[in-house]
Amino acid sequence: MSYKVLGQRIVILGGGDEALNKVRLVTKTTASVVIISRHIQADFSAFAVEVIERAFVPGDLENAALLFVAEEGPDAELAKAEARARGIPLNVVDVPAECDFYTPSIVDRAPLTVAISTEGDAPVLARLVRARIEAMLSPRIGKIARLAGGLRHAAEKLIHDGPARRRFYEALVTSPEVEAADIRGQGLEAAETLLAAHARAEGQGVVWLIGAGPGSEDLLTLRAQRLLQEADVIVHDQLVPSVVIDMGRRDAERIDVGKAKGHHSFSQAQINTLIVRLARQGKRVARLKSGDPMIFGRAGEEIAALRKAGIAWQIVPGISAALAAAADTATPVTLRKVSSGFIMATAHGADDGELSHWAALAQSGLTLALYMGKSIASDVAARLVAHGAAPSLPVGIVVNAGRADKSTYAGTLGALSAGQVAFSDGPAIIFVGEAVAAGDWADAARLAGQSFRVA
């Protein structure tokens, strides 16, 4: 709800910090602001307001557009009754049941203003949301918004397609290059260059290879979230949860090209053909992959297909499962005087040569992070031991890393090799190496009843 207050008065009853908070908000309007209280305690000198230190009288509400009551007592009760009698909208601070309207939390990036409001008695939630939005919006977003306004006629002239024009504005207000240029006083030049590039690309598609992270939506990068909002089509893997996919535009087409163990709904060649075809139709394609697209995501094959077809593409990194697993368990995969390196490898298809190499690396102190090896974990562990890895090497396993339903297992390489472990459902990361013992595995299930000795 909005009120016109031009040329009218906003009356605030109260002289303390709550009244000061309201002054900070309402002095951004065109109204004249009056503070009335028997006891003026806060410092209002930084604001263009009238301060009256006395008791409230009914005549104080003449020509008042709004009344804020920010104190208690007989003056407050008189003011509330008078406002209701005169039909003046009333806001009683922190008493939602007595309010005719609520004041939103404001994120000010002039000329851009974001107002956050909640229903009922949830002002704390509004403040928390405001803090999140403050963190997301650059302090210079207001200046970039002015650039966007100044280029509106040029954008309409150069870019005729409405969705393409929207994509230019989205790119403009989120471009780190334009923001950096604006700091140097070259913002307009950078914005015009971006406009020209979008005008040339009108009608052309693009594919974004986006890392969805391990599955928790709050581990998605801001860049990934922005591009999901711009995408016309979201082509996603089976391991990407719906909560992450739903961060895309509501009207975006969603195509599941999921690959689960033993079941491939799309072959890699079919996926390559699909994203090329969609981009040739002029669509913005978000190719959403679990973890990071460049780590066991077969992004190389898709990039090769896009290059061959002459399609524009961009890589957006994500948090790989091994990094999420290390964070979940506070495991320092590199540790001074213990582990000088970190190896990511896939256990599936590993031959004896690779296993012999891994065993030597693990023995030398490096930490192994094995992907896609849950079903063959015991066999791989036994083969590593056979190739010279010590049975006493610490092992830590995280299933569903980075998610609320994660589960952990800990023990030694010898214990893991002793038999098949009944893991919970979900993708797993298997850590092997001395540095694993420095992690927090106190709540982990024990492999074959054994555990490693914590250093």
Side-chain angles (χ1 to χ4, degrees):
M1 183 181 296
S2 301
Y3 291 100
K4 292 183 178 180
V5 294
L6 177 64
Q8 299 185 74
R9 299 165 69 244
I10 293 177
V11 177
I12 299 176
L13 182 67
D17 288 341
E18 292 295 346
L20 182 60
N21 290 337
K22 295 303 179 186
V23 166
R24 292 191 180 100
L25 174 68
V26 300
T27 50
K28 297 180 184 296
T29 71
T30 55
S32 59
V33 180
V34 181
I35 314 298
I36 302 171
S37 179
R38 297 174 189 247
H39 307 287
I40 302 295
Q41 298 167 319
D43 182 5
F44 299 97
S45 61
F47 302 93
V49 298
E50 180 184 0
V51 179
I52 302 174
E53 191 168 13
R54 61 162 169 77
F56 171 84
V57 296
D60 289 329
L61 295 185
E62 290 294 332
N63 195 33
L66 303 171
L67 169 65
F68 290 89
V69 175
E71 67 178 22
E72 299 178 349
D75 283 1
E77 297 306 315
L78 175 61
K80 289 188 284 187
E82 188 67 22
R84 293 189 178 103
R86 293 172 179 252
I88 296 172
L90 169 67
N91 179 281
V92 182
V93 176
D94 289 338
V95 188
E98 293 195 67
C99 292
D100 299 321
F101 66 95
Y102 304 113
T103 55
S105 291
I106 297 294
V107 179
D108 187 6
R109 296 288 191 271
L112 175 68
T113 301
V114 180
I116 306 106
S117 183
T118 58
E119 295 183 3
D121 55 352
V124 174
L125 177 60
R127 288 194 287 269
L128 290 173
V129 173
R130 173 190 170 183
R132 291 287 296 273
I133 294 176
E134 287 269 15
M136 292 172 64
L137 291 180
S138 163
R140 303 188 70 82
I141 192 68
K143 292 188 176 181
I144 305 301
R146 285 195 180 94
L147 286 177
L151 290 173
R152 182 169 62 88
H153 294 301
E156 291 174 351
K157 181 179 179 180
L158 292 172
I159 304 176
H160 306 98
D161 178 61
R165 200 157 53 239
R166 173 180 59 80
R167 287 192 287 266
F168 158 68
Y169 287 122
E170 289 171 343
L172 175 62
V173 299
T174 57
S175 169
E177 293 80 14
V178 172
E179 183 173 352
D182 187 63
I183 293 173
R184 302 191 302 268
Q186 299 170 330
L188 179 58
E189 180 181 344
E192 290 174 338
T193 299
L194 183 66
L195 173 59
H198 275 255
R200 289 193 301 270
E202 184 176 5
Q204 298 179 16
V206 64
V207 175
W208 299 305
L209 303 172
I210 299 175
S216 180
E217 68 273 20
D218 60 352
L219 290 179
L220 197 68
T221 67
L222 292 177
R223 183 182 299 176
Q225 185 176 356
R226 171 174 64 83
L227 293 178
L228 282 173
Q229 283 290 315
E230 294 182 28
D232 303 307
V233 186
I234 300 172
V235 178
H236 62 89
D237 286 344
Q238 185 264 343
L239 286 176
V240 180
S242 59
V243 67
V244 173
I245 299 166
D246 289 343
M247 296 184 81
R249 258 181 33 220
R250 282 184 297 177
D251 60 339
E253 181 183 2
R254 287 149 167 80
I255 301 176
D256 183 353
V257 293
K259 290 182 179 181
K261 184 180 178 183
H263 175 72
H264 291 184
S265 59
F266 280 69
S267 69
Q268 187 59 52
Q270 288 173 321
I271 294 173
N272 297 347
T273 301
L274 173 66
I275 60 177
V276 167
R277 175 173 58 82
L278 292 170
R280 280 178 169 164
Q281 293 171 357
K283 295 181 179 180
R284 304 289 173 122
V285 182
R287 176 68 179 101
L288 195 57
K289 296 171 174 286
S290 181
D292 183 280
M294 309 305 286
I295 300 176
F296 306 120
R298 304 188 77 170
E301 298 171 51
E302 294 174 16
I303 291 170
L306 294 168
R307 281 176 173 154
K308 183 177 179 180
I311 302 296
W313 51 274
Q314 178 185 343
I315 298 168
V316 181
I319 296 175
S320 187
L323 303 181
D328 284 341
T329 58
T331 298
V333 292
T334 60
L335 184 62
R336 192 162 59 93
K337 297 184 179 180
V338 177
S339 173
S340 61
F342 176 43
I343 308 296
M344 295 180 179
T346 174
H348 268 287
D351 59 26
D352 280 349
E354 289 174 307
L355 286 163
S356 176
H357 183 54
W358 295 351
L361 291 172
Q363 281 296 99
S364 71
L366 272 66
T367 305
L368 305 180
L370 303 180
Y371 288 67
M372 295 174 277
K374 192 171 66 174
S375 64
I376 58 172
S378 296
D379 176 62
V380 170
R383 292 165 67 194
L384 283 172
V385 171
H387 282 289
S392 60
L393 268 178
V395 169
I397 302 169
V398 182
V399 179
N400 292 322
R403 304 190 192 187
D405 61 346
K406 68 178 179 294
S407 54
T408 56
Y409 307 80
T412 63
L413 198 59
L416 180 59
S417 68
Q420 189 69 31
V421 182
F423 293 114
S424 57
D425 289 338
I429 293 294
I430 303 172
F431 288 128
V432 181
E434 295 293 350
V436 178
D440 182 3
W441 301 92
D443 297 327
R446 301 300 155 187
L447 299 173
Q450 298 181 34
S451 183
F452 45 75
R453 181 174 60 84
V454 177

